Amino acid sequence: MKPLWSGTVSFGLVSIPVRLGSTVSSHKIPFRQMHKADQGPVRHRKKCELDEQVLEPEEIGRAYETPDGTLVEITDDELAAMPLPTAKTIEISGFLDMARVPATQYNTPYVLQPSSGGDKPYVLMRQALARAGKAAVGKVALHNKEQLVLIYAYEDVLIAHALHWPDEMKSPAEAAPTRTVELAEREIEAAIALIEALGEADLDAYEDRYTAAVADLVHAKVEGANLTPAKAPPPGKVVDLMQALEESLAQARKNRGHNEDATVHDITPAKKTAKKAQAKKTAKKAAAKKTTAGHASASTAHTRTRGTPKTDEGKKSTAAARKTAKKTVAKKTTARKRSA
């Protein structure tokens, strides 16, 4: 992996030599521009506006234009020699919970790879961040600008995620609806039921259909075949929100193998739900009474099978035996006290 930046991560007095690389690759199909008349390739050439000459890359420099139109030339060597610590060092200045960083502030992720001799401090920082549940905050000069970065442990590596500067962030409040919207509680419950019915998304199951479609198109053109164009979606129309939610929920549960009859009760109005709940309670009470009566009769039958006396004579003989046993215990206790 070709590094985009090389330097060190400064972690207190610990220095970690690292290389910064990209975490992603693109599977986008590249196209070339051509002249339609003869399919000749089209090249982008840069010309000088003063003498109309086509320039080679080594003939082109950079400059800063002042308000009065003066161009101040800046060379690559001058940029490299700037007294900017972040040109070669990411100095960690603090730590925070990643949950504190708004999702909209994340920019480009990079992977940090240890350079020669940096394995041990690299693993130390990775494990310390993982165990503490924190991310390190620092700055790095990259792509001709200084960027704020968040360094955190991910699997076996450290990720340096570039962040937008706070003053670069635009407030999303401008995109919020401008008129007041009122929602019924059953509409919200129906939407939640639909979320649960659709289930968890598996990102690994998604694939880039556009790239595959372009490949099919190229193959068809080469073979001289025609592809059936995609159908245009129906024009948008105002629909009953509750009806759309109920139908969506029914379809989602059907796709997941649920019974279609079980698609209504979760999103019915509160009054109907209350009636059903009361009916269920009444049924439960009746069932409980029957169960209690059954247990009582079963207990009686079980007691009789264990030989419980049924006649008065049996009861009297049992009582007499208990009295005789009590007298015997009392005599023994009195004898023990006298001998003591």
Side-chain angles (χ1 to χ4, degrees), residues 13-61:
L13 298 178
V14 179
S15 293
I16 310 171
V18 294
R19 298 189 300 272
L20 195 72
S22 176
T23 61
V24 297
S25 61
S26 175
H27 44 67
K28 180 180 178 180
I29 296 179
F31 290 108
R32 292 188 60 181
Q33 291 186 327
M34 69 169 189
H35 185 197
K36 289 184 177 181
D38 56 11
Q39 294 191 350
V42 176
R43 295 182 181 179
H44 294 276
R45 295 186 175 185
K46 297 183 178 181
K47 296 194 305 180
C48 176
E49 293 184 357
L50 297 179
D51 57 18
E52 297 294 327
Q53 289 186 1
V54 177
L55 303 177
E56 297 298 328
E58 60 271 11
E59 298 178 282
I60 301 174

Side-chain angles (χ1 to χ4, degrees), residues 118-301:
D119 288 353
K120 187 171 183 177
Y122 181 95
V123 174
L124 170 64
M125 184 176 187
R126 186 196 69 204
Q127 292 190 359
L129 289 176
R131 186 172 300 182
K134 299 285 186 178
V137 180
K139 297 188 301 181
V140 61
L142 186 66
H143 300 319
N144 295 326
K145 63 180 180 179
E146 193 171 55
Q147 299 192 46
L148 189 65
V149 293
L150 197 67
I151 299 177
Y152 55 88
Y154 177 74
E155 295 182 350
D156 293 333
V157 298
L158 288 172
I159 298 295
H161 213 129
L163 303 176
H164 295 288
W165 292 96
D167 58 358
E168 292 179 327
M169 302 298 298
K170 295 181 179 180
S171 174
E174 299 177 359
T178 55
R179 65 184 183 89
T180 303
V181 177
E182 295 183 359
L183 293 173
E185 183 62 26
R186 68 192 190 103
E187 292 176 330
I188 300 174
E189 292 176 356
I192 294 174
L194 179 57
I195 291 172
E196 294 175 349
L198 291 175
E200 293 288 331
D202 181 8
L203 294 182
D204 292 332
Y206 289 79
E207 60 182 10
D208 181 5
R209 295 288 182 86
Y210 186 87
T211 301
V214 172
D216 291 341
L217 174 61
V218 172
H219 180 73
K221 296 281 286 184
V222 172
E223 298 295 329
N226 294 323
L227 288 179
T228 304
K231 295 181 179 180
K237 60 179 181 179
V238 178
V239 297
D240 181 83
L241 182 58
M242 195 63 202
Q243 180 182 354
L245 286 169
E246 290 177 345
E247 292 177 356
S248 300
L249 180 58
Q251 185 61 44
R253 287 180 168 170
K254 182 178 179 181
N255 293 340
R256 297 184 64 184
H258 286 274
N259 190 337
E260 293 184 37
D261 296 335
T263 61
V264 180
H265 69 276
D266 288 342
I267 54 177
T268 46
K271 292 182 179 179
K272 293 183 179 180
T273 305
K275 289 180 180 179
K276 289 185 177 181
Q278 185 63 33
K280 288 182 179 179
K281 287 182 180 179
T282 304
K284 286 183 178 179
K285 288 182 178 179
K289 289 181 178 179
K290 291 181 180 180
T291 304
T292 303
H295 286 326
S297 58
S299 176
T300 303

